[in-house]
Amino acid sequence: MSLFDDDFYSSKVSRKTLREHLGNRKRGGRWLGRLRNQKSVQLVVLSSVTTVLVIAVLYGLLFGFSPSSRHGSSMDFSARAVEASDHIRPAVVSIINEQKFSLELGGGPLEQDAEQSGVYREIGVGSGVIVQKDEQYAYIVTNYHVVASAHRVKAVLTTGEQREAEVVGLDQITDLAVLKVDAAGIGQVAEIGDSSKLRAAEFVMAMGNPLGMGEAITFGVVSVIRETVPVSLAQNGVLDWEQEVIRVDAAINQGNSGGPLVDLNGRVVGINSMKISNFGVESIGYAIPINNVMPIVSELIDSGYVSRAYLGVMMLDLQQYWSRQELEAEIEGESTLNLPQEVYEGIIVLEALGPAKEAGLEFNDVIVKLDDTKIRNTRELRRYLYNQKQIGDSIVVHYYRGKELLTATVTLGENKPE
């Protein structure tokens, strides 16, 4: 007898065994088929769910999912922009700059303190945003250059109502101004954000009154979080100060100045200030970071001006003088400096006032150093004075009087407005 069961291993299989074997295969095949079908369905479902989740996450990352969003969850990008706009819009105002003109034929603008009869005419428009309110007044932030030359200022609310605005304080250095209007009926005050938390490529909106056309919103991204650009305080083409700004590609047109730069949570992160408008340049605008704005606003509301160290010199860049000398062989009323040949950068004292006069500085002295810091132009003098010195500090001024290098110790005063 074989060690194996012939009915199982032999090539000769009985019909009964064959029927039983085939029956078991059919039942097993149906079971395996059902199992394979179930696994296929599960795989399809799992793949679909995974795809949906991946798309949702990517959509959220690209279009506004943020733990700090107003509702703490992802929202439709367009809906977030609309909500942010609705949140801030009632606090945005238009600013009208008016000057008084003579009634005489061909009469020009009157002086600021003129008492003569005349008529007010609109000479410029800008924007502003309400950042503070008490029982009596609502306080509006705008740009210095929007209202600096105004004889009268009006604020236009989003309802279309015009209100007389009073200038609380101006600061040319930061290009900021604060106005106040009657608070009656004003319920919305802008929510202030944190400009230090801005990120490159973050979406922002510039709001205001471009070209006097009324309320408008432009959209873009933050290009550079922090940038320093040279500016002309007198707007005469002479670059005599440096402004710290946020660069954006949202359109900032004439009239947008002073309006808010807003994030997608409806919070003010900057004050629109200027743009580059050279031929071939597209969408390069600048806003003053709100973290720089609010301390100035508080000081303007409290004091009407920003207190800074005061040297007391009317000045001209030495390089400007050389340029002028090249254009004109002799300038009437302007004496020759007679400086050493190697001195070609510095600050010419046109008039010494207050602290500088008391220390002995005179007309045509040329300042070349403050303490141990070389001074080549007005920008560098202001930067050192405003960033490194306080009222009451002493400063050593190194200057040339003709070919002689002298020093004077100046006790800095305060730049109180006249």
Side-chain angles (χ1 to χ4, degrees):
M1 185 175 177
S2 170
L3 293 175
F4 303 104
D5 185 346
D6 288 344
D7 285 344
F8 188 76
Y9 284 105
S10 170
S11 59
K12 296 179 180 180
V13 181
S14 67
R15 291 181 179 179
K16 178 180 178 182
T17 302
L18 182 60
R19 282 196 303 268
E20 290 176 356
H21 178 66
L22 290 175
N24 289 338
R25 284 190 62 187
K26 287 179 181 179
R27 287 192 297 270
R30 285 194 296 270
W31 181 82
L32 288 172
R34 285 196 299 269
L35 183 60
R36 291 192 188 98
N37 288 337
Q38 287 175 2
K39 287 184 176 179
S40 298
V41 170
Q42 289 173 354
L43 184 61
V44 169
V45 171
L46 181 61
S47 177
S48 300
V49 171
T50 302
T51 302
V52 169
L53 288 174
V54 170
I55 291 173
V57 170
L58 289 175
Y59 183 86
L61 290 173
L62 290 172
F63 299 108
F65 175 80
S66 171
S68 61
S69 66
R70 301 187 65 82
H71 295 293
S73 60
S74 61
M75 296 175 59
D76 177 75
F77 178 70
S78 178
R80 286 194 69 197
V82 170
E83 183 181 357
S85 172
D86 290 343
H87 182 68
I88 187 69
R89 185 182 290 116
V92 181
V93 300
S94 297
I95 304 297
I96 299 175
N97 179 329
E98 295 183 337
Q99 283 192 4
K100 198 171 187 179
F101 288 80
S102 171
L103 290 175
E104 298 176 5
L105 185 63
L110 302 175
E111 295 297 325
Q112 184 81 27
D113 57 352
E115 296 180 358
Q116 301 161 264
S117 61
V119 60
Y120 286 101
R121 296 177 185 169
E122 179 182 313
I123 64 161
V125 293
S127 306
V129 59
I130 301 169
V131 296
Q132 188 173 320
K133 186 171 77 76
D134 56 30
E135 293 182 358
Q136 191 173 6
Y137 297 109
Y139 294 90
I140 300 167
V141 177
T142 187
N143 284 140
Y144 169 91
H145 73 261
V146 170
V147 297
S149 62
H151 292 158
R152 185 170 72 179
V153 180
K154 291 182 179 179
V156 185
L157 307 181
T158 52
T159 60
E161 179 189 355
Q162 290 190 10
R163 296 194 182 187
E164 296 284 342
E166 179 183 340
V167 177
V168 174
L170 301 167
D171 186 48
Q172 186 179 21
I173 296 296
T174 57
D175 193 25
L176 292 171
V178 175
L179 316 175
K180 66 180 181 182
V181 297
D182 187 350
I186 294 178
Q188 182 71 30
V189 174
E191 183 179 353
I192 304 301
D194 184 352
S195 53
S196 69
K197 294 183 179 178
L198 284 173
R199 296 174 296 172
E202 182 173 344
F203 286 103
V204 287
M205 297 179 290
M207 304 182 71
N209 178 26
L211 306 177
M213 299 171 65
E215 181 184 356
I217 303 168
T218 55
F219 208 75
V221 299
V222 174
S223 301
V224 179
I225 300 167
R226 182 177 178 179
E227 184 171 353
T228 301
V229 296
V231 296
S232 174
L233 293 179
Q235 297 188 357
N236 59 2
V238 178
L239 302 176
D240 51 7
W241 181 237
E242 295 174 341
Q243 184 76 275
E244 182 183 327
V245 291
I246 304 162
R247 192 205 300 176
V248 297
D249 74 348
I252 298 177
N253 296 302
Q254 184 178 356
N256 269 123
S257 293
L261 185 72
V262 183
D263 66 15
L264 290 190
N265 293 313
R267 297 180 296 216
V268 181
V269 292
I271 297 297
N272 305 324
S273 182
M274 52 188 160
K275 63 177 289 187
I276 294 179
S277 56
N278 291 345
F279 179 77
V281 177
E282 295 290 341
S283 299
I284 298 181
Y286 297 102
I288 307 168
I290 199 64
N291 289 16
N292 296 0
V293 170
M294 294 313 294
I296 300 297
V297 169
S298 297
E299 196 163 353
L300 289 176
I301 292 174
D302 291 341
S303 306
Y305 69 100
V306 177
S307 180
R308 293 188 180 91
Y310 176 62
L311 180 60
V313 291
M314 300 289 290
M315 50 195 170
L316 175 72
D317 286 359
L318 184 56
Q319 287 184 332
Q320 285 181 255
Y321 173 83
W322 295 135
S323 298
R324 199 178 291 180
Q325 290 288 66
E326 290 174 3
L327 293 174
E328 303 176 25
E330 184 177 348
I331 299 177
E332 186 178 351
E334 202 164 0
S335 62
T336 303
L337 295 176
N338 193 30
L339 294 168
Q341 190 172 3
E342 69 273 11
V343 178
Y344 56 90
E345 292 179 317
I347 300 292
I348 304 173
V349 177
L350 300 179
E351 185 179 2
L353 306 165
K357 185 176 182 179
E358 292 172 7
L361 289 172
E362 298 177 0
F363 171 69
N364 266 1
D365 288 343
V366 177
I367 299 172
V368 293
K369 188 187 290 187
L370 296 178
D371 294 331
D372 294 324
T373 301
K374 185 176 180 180
I375 300 298
R376 296 174 296 179
N377 52 48
T378 304
R379 270 188 285 169
E380 293 184 353
L381 184 145
R382 285 192 168 121
R383 186 196 309 150
Y384 182 79
L385 195 63
Y386 298 155
N387 295 340
Q388 304 297 328
K389 292 294 181 177
Q390 302 293 326
I391 298 164
D393 287 353
S394 293
I395 187 170
V396 179
V397 180
H398 303 254
Y399 64 97
Y400 279 94
R401 181 169 292 168
K403 293 185 181 297
E404 186 179 4
L405 180 62
L406 304 171
T407 62
T409 300
V410 180
T411 300
L412 298 172
E414 183 182 10
N415 62 329
K416 288 186 177 181
E418 298 178 0

